[in-house]
């Protein structure tokens, strides 16, 4: 406190009196109201001490029993919710099974009664020979097998996860620029959960295009990127038609949802779009095209888009992480950048050291994918390899190919699209080899999962596959660039 003898208006009584100025709040009080002010400050001080004591009590409780911490409670709630969901789903399956097994048991009982009748007649008339005994015994064996394993009822486990995975992410502020502790409920729909033994049917089904090269609503013209939403609606970057086309599940024609107004750089036009990404949070599409820009188009009847990134760069493919950060491969600058909301320049997260084949370089980066740890996977086109850049790394790791251009199982030839599942297996659109490959973690060789039967239009063939994606049941979708179609390869359930 500092004193002043001049007469100044008291802030409390608004009278000109001899006052004292409080340095804390820079207000003047007469001597009477200064005492009141000090009492108020003392009361606030007491309240802070009480809050401090309550905090100490809470801290002591948590120290004595860390299981009481609210974050632990969040995990407990997740556990209970997951258990309840599993029990509910199991009960629904039991009810469904009971409904059909009742009918099945009734049929089995009828078969048993028919056989019993034949046995009684045979015994009564003493009219049976060896072949009759063999047939009756065989029928009993078949009935027993059918009872235990009915041919019309199967219990299958879906490859789609029933519950969301939970992670606890702890970032030490002394070791990183981050200073928060997050409990993350990780539900990454863009990261497929695929069993290592999963296989796909070798004959694909055309789900978009397939009616020759053209600009009709049932046609495509060199489709590049594809994206699939939770309803299995397919969005296709229809490259030479300068448009994005939406194909709903089972549709025989598409619907133009972006572009389609001729080639150009207006906000209602697209120019050779290469990649399309569904942003569920904003119900919009993010599109890269050859006008050196990235645009956002609303999925709700958007007649024009908004430019969100532009420059002198050659934007290729797009990816997004769980936090909504956008990743863009740039073939001209041989790098991948991460862009945050309202970011003006982005941050290089892979490459950026000029074209080359060193581990800190890329050459014609194309497809890009980001896993739950924000590791970046890049289809390094001209180096015929896929690179993994761990978050914050100065150089990448070769995780597929890298053995020169070729068609052996250890090689790639012009890789384009890339997807990584939750086990870390890498799926690559091996463009010039006309095949889709899977590379398991730390494997020196990949295996062909579809295609690889030469360039062609057959249902088991591809012609320059560019992008790939999976739906929630892990069916595989491929943009078959040279055949102007999108092919779906269903999971083989055998």
């Amino acid at each position: 406190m500092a004193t002043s003898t001049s007469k100044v208006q008291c802030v409390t009584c608004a009278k000109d009196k001899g006052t004292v100025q409080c340095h804390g709040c820079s207000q003047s009080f007469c001597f009477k109201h200064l005492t009141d002010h000090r009492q108020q400050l003392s009361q606030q001080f007491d309240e802070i001490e009480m809050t401090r004591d309550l905090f100490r009590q809470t801290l002591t409780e948590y120290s004595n029993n860390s299981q009481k911490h609210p974050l632990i409670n969040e995990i407990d709630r997740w556990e209970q919710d997951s258990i309840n969901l599993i029990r509910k789903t199991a009960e629904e399956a039991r009810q469904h099974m009971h409904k059909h097994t009742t009918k099945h048991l009734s049929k089995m009982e009828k078969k048993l009664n028919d056989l019993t009748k034949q046995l009684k007649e045979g015994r009564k008339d003493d009219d049976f020979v060896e072949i009759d005994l063999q047939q009756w015994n065989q029928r009993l064996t078949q009935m027993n097998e059918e009872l235990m394993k009915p041919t019309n009822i199967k219990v299958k486990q879906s490859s789609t996860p029933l519950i969301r995975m939970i992670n606890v992410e702890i970032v030490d502020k002394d070791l990183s620029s981050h200073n928060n502790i997050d409990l993350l409920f990780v539900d990454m729909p863009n990261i497929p959960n695929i069993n290592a033994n999963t296989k796909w049917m070798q004959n694909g089904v055309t789900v978009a295009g397939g009616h020759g090269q053209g600009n009709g609503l049932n046609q495509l013209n060199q489709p590049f990127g594809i994206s699939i939403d939770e309803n299995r609606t397919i969005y296709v970057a229809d490259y030479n038609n300068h448009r994005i086309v939406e194909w709903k599940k089972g549709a025989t024609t598409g619907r133009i949802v972006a572009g389609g107004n001729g080639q150009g750089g207006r906000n209602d036009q697209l120019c050779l779009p290469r990649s399309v990404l569904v942003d569920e949070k904003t119900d919009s599409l993010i599109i890269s095209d050859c006008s050196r820009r990235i645009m956002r188009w609303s999925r709700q009847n958007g007649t024009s888009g908004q430019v969100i990134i532009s420059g002198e760069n050659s934007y290729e493919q797009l990816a997004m992480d769980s936090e909504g950060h956008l990743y863009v491969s740039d073939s001209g600058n041989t790098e991948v950048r991460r862009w945050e909301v309202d970011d003006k320049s982005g941050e290089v997260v892979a490459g950026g050291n000029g074209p080359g084949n060193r581990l800190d370089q890329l050459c014609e980066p194309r497809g890009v994918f980001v896993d739950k740890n924000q590791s970046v996977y890049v289809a390094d086109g001209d180096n015929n390899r896929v690179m993994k850049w761990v978050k914050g790394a100065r150089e990448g790791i070769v995780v597929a190919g890298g053995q020169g251009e070729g068609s052996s199982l250890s090689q790639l030839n012009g890789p384009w699209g890339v997807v990584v599942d939750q086990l870390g297996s890498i799926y690559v659109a091996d463009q010039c080899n006309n095949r889709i490959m899977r590379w398991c973690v730390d494997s020196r060789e990949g295996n062909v999962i579809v295609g690889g039967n030469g360039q062609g239009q057959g249902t088991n063939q591809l012609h320059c596959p560019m992008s790939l994606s999976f739906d929630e049941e892990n069916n595989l979708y491929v943009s078959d660039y040279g055949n102007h179609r999108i092919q779906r390869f269903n999971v083989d359930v055998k």
Side-chain angles (χ1 to χ4, degrees):
M1 303 285 286
T3 61
S4 173
T5 58
S6 60
K7 290 188 176 183
V8 179
Q9 190 179 75
C10 172
V11 70
T12 302
C13 63
K15 295 179 179 180
D16 292 334
K17 294 182 177 182
T19 59
V20 176
Q21 187 182 54
C22 175
H23 276 181
C25 61
S26 300
Q27 293 179 324
S28 298
F29 299 87
C30 66
F31 294 107
K32 176 186 175 182
H33 292 117
L34 175 63
T35 302
D36 296 339
H37 180 58
R38 291 297 301 170
Q39 288 177 346
Q40 291 173 358
L41 293 179
S42 179
Q43 184 179 356
Q44 293 174 14
F45 192 95
D46 292 341
E47 291 174 354
I48 291 174
E49 286 191 320
M50 289 177 61
T51 303
R52 184 272 318 273
D53 292 340
L54 288 172
F55 176 77
R56 183 178 296 281
Q57 181 180 348
T58 303
L59 178 60
T60 301
E61 290 177 358
Y62 288 161
S63 298
N64 293 335
N65 187 359
S66 62
Q67 295 300 314
K68 288 185 176 181
H69 197 282
L71 291 179
I72 295 293
N73 292 337
E74 287 194 42
I75 297 175
D76 292 342
R77 284 196 300 273
W78 171 86
E79 178 184 31
Q80 192 58 52
D81 290 344
S82 299
I83 290 171
N84 291 340
L85 178 59
I86 291 172
R87 285 176 174 167
K88 179 176 179 291
T89 305
E91 184 57 30
E92 290 174 352
R94 290 189 193 99
Q95 293 295 333
H96 192 60
M97 174 70 79
H98 178 71
K99 176 181 177 182
H100 290 278
T101 52
T102 300
K103 295 180 180 178
H104 176 68
L105 293 175
S106 177
K107 291 180 181 179
M108 294 304 301
E109 186 172 1
K110 184 178 183 302
K111 288 184 178 181
L112 178 60
N113 291 337
D114 291 343
L115 178 61
T116 300
K117 181 179 179 181
Q118 292 180 24
L119 292 176
K120 286 182 177 180
E121 290 177 353
R123 175 69 73 181
K124 178 181 179 181
D125 299 336
D126 197 23
D127 182 21
F128 55 88
V129 294
E130 288 86 347
I131 191 169
D132 295 322
L133 297 175
Q134 291 176 0
Q135 289 178 349
W136 289 333
N137 190 54
Q138 185 177 5
R139 285 180 63 186
L140 278 170
T141 300
Q142 291 174 345
M143 288 166 61
N144 186 64
E145 291 178 352
E146 190 176 353
L147 175 64
M148 303 308 297
K149 293 183 179 180
T151 57
N152 64 331
I153 303 175
K154 292 183 180 179
V155 177
K156 297 194 304 180
Q157 294 188 35
S158 170
S159 58
T160 303
L162 177 63
I163 62 174
R164 294 183 297 168
M165 184 179 71
I166 187 174
N167 262 350
V168 177
E169 181 181 283
I170 300 175
V171 183
D172 192 331
K173 65 181 180 181
D174 296 326
L175 300 177
S176 171
S177 60
H178 296 276
N179 60 4
N180 61 322
I181 299 176
D182 295 328
L183 180 67
L184 300 179
F185 291 84
V186 181
D187 187 6
M188 300 281 287
N190 62 315
I191 300 182
N193 185 15
I194 302 176
N195 187 287
N197 297 320
T198 299
K199 295 182 179 180
W200 289 264
M201 303 293 290
Q202 294 304 294
N203 291 304
V205 178
T206 301
V207 291
H211 295 278
Q213 181 177 7
N215 61 3
L217 290 180
N218 67 342
Q219 294 178 303
L220 296 171
N221 190 346
Q222 297 180 332
F224 248 80
I226 55 174
S227 188
I228 301 171
D229 70 10
E230 57 189 7
N231 298 316
R232 295 197 198 175
T233 299
I234 309 167
Y235 294 88
V236 185
D238 194 7
Y239 184 72
N240 269 332
N241 282 326
H242 317 291
R243 65 189 186 184
I244 305 297
V245 186
E246 172 193 84
W247 292 69
K248 292 188 178 295
K249 180 183 176 182
T252 56
T253 60
R255 180 175 74 95
I256 300 172
V257 292
N261 297 308
Q263 180 178 359
R266 298 196 314 258
N267 282 356
D268 67 337
Q269 294 179 307
L270 292 172
C271 177
L272 301 171
R274 290 174 176 261
S275 184
V276 57
L277 188 68
V278 177
D279 185 356
E280 300 278 1
K281 292 181 180 179
T282 61
D283 196 19
S284 63
L285 302 174
I286 303 176
I287 305 161
S288 67
D289 73 2
C290 292
S291 292
R292 301 183 183 276
R293 61 185 181 173
I294 295 172
M295 304 188 72
R296 184 187 296 276
W297 287 64
S298 170
R299 286 202 290 176
Q300 301 301 319
N301 299 317
T303 57
S304 65
Q306 172 193 4
V307 178
I308 57 175
I309 299 174
S310 63
E312 298 300 320
N313 303 325
S314 301
Y315 301 124
E316 294 285 347
Q317 300 295 296
L318 307 171
M320 184 176 287
D321 65 20
S322 60
E323 297 179 9
H325 301 147
L326 186 64
Y327 295 72
V328 185
S329 61
D330 180 351
S331 60
N333 290 318
T334 61
E335 65 187 18
V336 177
R337 283 183 179 263
R338 178 177 62 225
W339 299 75
E340 300 183 11
V341 177
D342 298 326
D343 201 341
K344 301 301 181 183
S345 58
E347 176 188 1
V348 176
V349 292
N353 296 301
N357 61 4
R358 298 196 314 255
L359 293 180
D360 66 341
Q361 293 179 306
L362 298 169
C363 192
E364 286 292 322
R366 293 165 181 167
V368 59
F369 189 91
V370 186
D371 69 13
K372 63 184 178 182
N373 300 314
Q374 294 188 343
S375 293
V376 179
Y377 295 78
V378 189
D380 192 11
D382 280 6
N383 284 325
N384 301 298
R385 64 188 184 184
V386 176
M387 301 290 290
K388 175 182 178 181
W389 291 65
V390 176
K391 184 178 180 181
R394 295 179 179 271
E395 60 182 31
I397 306 164
V398 180
V399 290
Q403 303 298 318
E405 177 184 311
S407 59
S408 74
L409 293 180
S410 65
Q411 295 176 304
L412 295 169
N413 189 351
W416 201 277
V418 59
V419 171
V420 182
D421 68 20
Q422 293 188 21
L423 295 177
S425 297
I426 301 155
Y427 301 80
V428 188
D430 192 9
Q431 180 197 181
C432 296
N433 283 324
N434 302 297
R435 64 190 184 184
I436 306 297
M437 299 191 72
R438 172 166 60 186
W439 295 67
C440 296
V441 177
D442 297 328
S443 175
R444 294 186 178 182
E445 290 188 348
N447 63 289
V448 180
I449 59 173
V450 299
N453 298 305
Q455 176 180 308
Q457 299 178 359
T459 57
N460 69 340
Q461 292 180 304
L462 298 169
H463 183 184
C464 293
M466 304 299 278
S467 298
L468 69 156
S469 186
F470 294 90
D471 63 23
E472 290 188 350
E473 293 186 359
N474 294 329
N475 300 312
L476 170 63
Y477 296 73
V478 181
S479 61
D480 195 6
Y481 177 88
N483 286 324
H484 316 291
R485 65 187 182 183
I486 307 300
Q487 293 290 91
R488 184 185 72 219
F489 296 86
N490 294 330
V491 171
D492 191 343
V493 295
K494 293 180 182 178

